[in-house]
Amino acid sequence: MTEPSEMIAWLDRRIASAMTWLDNFGRGSKRPRPETEISSKEYDVRMFEEIRDAYVKALDRKGQAA
């Protein structure tokens, strides 16, 4: 199984990557991408953040049970 710290770091990198993409190509950029691509990246960010939060909560619960 992947180490929890490695998994959290991976999720953080995915979130940061999607946020950078939005900064570079989102609605406020000089040449924004199509709305469908922007919406898809925003959805990705929300889902990665939700997964990360759930993972951290599960780790906390597991640590309290031990």
Side-chain angles (χ1 to χ4, degrees):
M1 182 175 186
T2 304
E3 288 294 318
S5 60
E6 185 178 340
M7 181 62 77
I8 291 170
W10 181 85
L11 287 164
D12 287 342
R13 287 192 307 271
R14 299 289 61 82
I15 292 167
S17 176
M19 294 296 284
T20 299
W21 188 96
L22 285 168
D23 289 342
N24 293 332
F25 305 111
R27 291 179 191 91
S29 70
K30 288 182 182 180
R31 296 188 61 182
R33 299 284 197 219
E35 183 60 32
T36 55
E37 290 182 33
I38 294 170
S39 295
S40 177
K41 285 293 180 185
E42 290 171 338
Y43 178 81
D44 290 349
V45 169
R46 284 192 310 274
M47 292 301 106
F48 280 132
E49 288 175 341
E50 190 173 318
I51 291 167
R52 186 189 187 287
D53 291 345
Y55 188 78
V56 169
K57 284 180 186 177
L59 286 174
D60 289 344
R61 283 193 303 268
K62 184 177 179 181
Q64 291 174 359

